[in-house]
Amino acid sequence: MLLWRAALVAALLCGVGLLPWLSRTDPALTVLRARSAERAPTPEVLDAIRAQLGLDAGPLKLLGDWFGGLLHGDAGRSWISGAEVTPSVLQALGVSLLLMGGSLAVAVLTAGAVCARTLRLGAGRRPDGRRSAGTGSALLSTLPDFLTASVLAAVVGVQLGWLPALGWYGPQWMVLPALSLGLPAGALLGRMLDDLLPGAFAEQWALAAAARGVPDRSIARQALRRCAPGLLPNFGLFVVGLTGGAVAVEQVFDIPGLGRLTLQAAVAQDLPVLQAGTLALVLLAAIAGGAARLTARLLIGPALRDGALLSLHRPTPPRPTTLPLLYGGSLLAVVTLGLARDPLRLDTTARLQPPSWTHPFGTDGLGRDVLARVGHGALSTLALALAVSATALVLGVLLGLLPRVSGPLVDTVNAVPPVLAALLVTGVAGSGPSTPALAVTAVAWAPLAAHTSALLQQERATTHLTATRALGAGPLQLLRHDLLPALLPPVVRHALLRLPGVALALAALGFLGLGAQPPSPEWGLLLSENQPYAERAPWAVLAPAAALALLGAVAVTGGGGVRWPRRPRRARRRDTGETETQTQTGTTTATATATRPEPPDPARPIRPEGVTSDA
């Protein structure tokens, strides 16, 4: 495992170090533009930069020198400023860790609010009153962090003046960025926890505790402890994502964090800073992943060793609801109305017009109809998002079933900021229509693989699986009839929760020049284009954001009923009746339906079952 992890880290750092040559650009020219944009790139100037940085020796010599200095604690000097890399990276890491701590606090509070109703009803033995889905959490989980940051900065920071909207000088400056990052992450984490809690409250220990009069608060606390091991790996991924993936929020609030530093280094091709920042994120991912796995083992270690766990599944499917039809119908109506309009028609006399009968969603900065652009952008956005989500689901499940292989791989992939992953994919595959899909797929499978591995670890330690294995069941039979029915439903629901985020990530890469370009009406691109007008024309931003929210609501409410289909076995008929055996998500129940027996014949002796007259 250590060798595999070290090989992955080395491969990642080598890929980062080869980024200028992979992208087929001249590093000297990029460095010159970053240092002095007005200076002419003459051959003499470029040769001087190559000689100063050692670019003439080739990328392998640069990598060797950087690794050699790293062994002595020297990460090199910045190609742009000439300053030492280690102090600047450590300072940016400290800022990002502080912001991550505040964001995690907001995320935990948000997750508690999302699953509070389930905790109260489950602990009080009233599961029938539980709603099958949470629309509010779906809306929160689909909010783009840069949009939330822009709105909070404009409204709370500028118009109301309650909190600072720019800079990083004290605790007050951390509130708005922490809210921007913590609210979506907490909503997603709360939905995942809310998906596991009903299974915990249906276990025998919860029923026995309620029968003995144990307080509801104690039952709820133990239910949280029972569900925590299945969420800790994804919680570790959130830790790294809120540190290196907070690029947009750090840009909006002008925060000197590690994500922003890494992005600036990637754009300027400042390789020493980029490699040191990536290494810091990889080490953070390894520490967070190891801490999450250790905590999970401490929580349920004896049960894992003794095989004494029960399957953590929903006892019954949620009650049928019409919410998916309502949200899906609303989204379909918006798309249908938008398709009947021209998304490219310009009208400079109608710029930033408010909603009216002529333009129900208003117009954007060029006078184009926002409803038309939302409707036409739905086709490409949703189709590509569904394809990427399905691919990420398959990869996540397959790699999650191999935890020794996927564990270090998940930590390494999750440590790469999304922008850097897109640049690496672009350097290898080139820029084109498939580049955003490849870039998002390269990182979207990691949370699903971590979720699969966590559930697999617990399912292998269940009593029914131990008994089935003792009866002679082979690995394929256990995988087909016990493990997959237990793993797939919650992981599929998790993938549906991330569907709006995938759609937004795909379109956001187009704004960076790696995919769709204007005047494409992709939803993420609409958000990015209209973000500067959020204060003057909020409808131009709210329309695509509401479409993403409707997509998230459809995914959450519709995915709440995803379950493994029941597979009744063929009944075995006997002369005394029939026995029917059904298998449900890892639990086998037998019901005997006996016909009315005939009166016994006094002339025929009564023998035990299976004993013949010859005996």
Side-chain angles (χ1 to χ4, degrees):
M1 292 287 287
L2 292 177
L3 291 176
W4 173 231
R5 188 181 296 274
L8 289 174
V9 173
L12 175 61
L13 292 178
C14 289
V16 172
L18 295 174
L19 182 60
W21 291 269
L22 291 175
S23 57
R24 293 170 288 277
T25 58
D26 187 0
L29 179 60
T30 307
V31 172
L32 176 63
R33 291 174 178 173
R35 288 180 176 179
S36 179
E38 67 277 0
R39 190 173 182 182
T42 61
E44 294 77 11
V45 173
L46 295 179
D47 290 339
I49 293 177
R50 293 189 187 97
Q52 178 187 0
L53 302 179
L55 296 176
D56 294 333
L60 297 181
K61 182 65 167 56
L62 287 175
L63 285 173
D65 294 342
W66 187 81
F67 277 114
L70 195 63
L71 295 177
H72 299 86
D74 182 15
R77 291 182 173 274
S78 170
W79 286 2
I80 307 302
S81 63
E84 292 187 2
V85 171
T86 303
S88 60
V89 170
L90 291 179
Q91 182 179 2
L93 178 61
V95 171
S96 294
L97 290 178
L98 184 60
L99 177 59
M100 179 264 293
S103 303
L104 284 181
V106 175
V108 170
L109 293 176
T110 305
V114 169
C115 61
R117 179 180 175 86
T118 301
L119 282 172
R120 184 175 67 254
L121 295 177
R125 311 311 307 156
R126 293 173 294 165
D128 293 339
R130 178 180 177 269
R131 291 174 294 185
S132 59
T135 305
S137 61
L139 299 178
L140 283 178
S141 62
T142 55
L143 285 177
D145 52 5
F146 68 87
L147 176 61
T148 308
S150 301
V151 173
L152 290 178
V155 177
V156 180
V158 177
Q159 294 184 356
L160 300 179
W162 292 347
L163 292 169
L166 196 66
W168 186 261
Y169 305 103
Q172 293 181 347
W173 280 263
M174 191 176 66
V175 176
L176 296 182
L179 288 175
S180 304
L181 292 171
L183 287 177
L188 183 59
L189 191 65
R191 286 300 310 169
M192 295 172 62
L193 178 59
D194 192 74
D195 186 63
L196 295 176
L197 282 174
F201 285 122
E203 292 183 344
Q204 295 298 324
W205 66 265
L207 301 176
R212 292 180 61 88
V214 177
D216 294 349
R217 183 176 301 177
S218 299
I219 298 177
R221 184 168 59 250
Q222 293 302 322
L224 288 174
R225 180 178 178 179
R226 174 68 179 90
C227 298
L231 295 179
L232 282 174
N234 270 279
F235 190 80
L237 298 184
F238 277 118
V239 169
V240 184
L242 293 176
T243 305
V247 180
V249 174
E250 291 176 355
Q251 289 279 51
V252 171
F253 290 101
D254 194 21
I255 300 175
L258 186 59
R260 184 184 179 189
L261 179 67
T262 306
L263 173 63
Q264 292 175 349
V267 173
Q269 294 188 356
D270 192 353
L271 289 187
V273 177
L274 181 59
Q275 288 175 306
T278 305
L279 180 60
L281 290 174
V282 170
L283 293 177
L284 177 63
I287 295 173
R293 287 188 288 270
L294 179 61
T295 305
R297 188 168 294 276
L298 291 177
L299 288 175
I300 57 173
L304 289 175
R305 183 185 64 248
D306 301 334
L309 285 177
L310 297 176
S311 293
L312 194 61
H313 307 302
R314 290 183 174 184
T316 56
R319 293 178 300 176
T321 177
T322 59
L323 290 178
L325 297 178
L326 177 61
Y327 298 138
S330 301
L331 183 59
L332 181 61
V334 170
V335 173
T336 304
L337 293 176
L339 289 176
R341 297 168 176 261
D342 184 6
L344 302 178
R345 183 176 179 272
L346 300 178
D347 186 2
T348 56
T349 61
R351 297 176 63 251
L352 301 178
Q353 293 295 315
S356 61
W357 287 109
T358 306
H359 304 286
F361 286 179
T363 60
D364 62 5
L366 297 177
R368 295 172 297 190
D369 187 78
V370 176
L371 176 59
R373 297 184 61 75
V374 170
H376 284 266
L379 300 179
S380 57
T381 302
L382 296 181
L384 195 57
L386 287 173
V388 171
S389 299
T391 305
L393 175 62
V394 174
L395 290 176
V397 172
L398 292 179
L399 292 175
L401 293 176
L402 304 172
R404 290 185 176 273
V405 176
S406 63
L409 189 59
V410 166
D411 293 340
T412 306
V413 169
N414 187 67
V416 181
V419 176
L420 179 57
L423 292 175
L424 289 174
V425 172
T426 304
V428 175
S431 181
S434 61
T435 299
L438 292 175
V440 175
T441 306
V443 297
W445 62 268
L448 304 178
H451 195 188
T452 303
S453 298
L455 295 179
L456 177 66
Q457 183 185 30
Q458 297 187 60
E459 195 65 25
R460 283 177 172 174
T462 54
T463 54
H464 77 86
L465 197 70
T466 304
T468 306
R469 190 185 297 112
L471 292 175
L476 292 180
Q477 184 177 1
L478 292 175
L479 178 65
R480 180 181 178 184
H481 295 288
D482 294 277
L483 294 178
L484 287 182
L487 302 178
L488 282 183
V491 176
V492 170
R493 292 192 290 266
H494 183 188
L496 289 174
L497 286 176
R498 292 186 175 271
L499 177 61
V502 169
L504 180 64
L506 286 169
L509 291 180
F511 179 71
L512 298 175
L514 303 176
Q517 297 293 319
S520 174
E522 281 191 314
W523 289 353
L525 195 57
L526 295 184
L527 287 171
S528 301
E529 290 176 343
N530 296 319
Q531 182 185 353
Y533 311 106
E535 187 175 354
R536 294 176 53 195
W539 51 84
V541 177
L542 291 178
L548 277 172
L550 280 177
L551 176 61
V554 173
V556 171
T557 55
V562 173
R563 292 177 61 86
W564 189 265
R566 298 181 178 182
R567 300 182 59 183
R569 296 180 181 176
R570 184 174 299 176
R572 294 179 299 173
R573 299 182 180 274
R574 297 180 181 177
D575 54 350
T576 58
E578 62 180 10
T579 302
E580 180 182 351
T581 305
Q582 293 181 339
T583 303
Q584 297 178 347
T585 31
T587 303
T588 304
T589 59
T591 59
T593 307
T595 59
R596 184 180 299 274
E598 298 180 358
D601 185 359
R604 187 170 62 181
I606 300 177
R607 302 183 180 90
E609 183 179 359
V611 179
T612 63
S613 59
D614 295 339

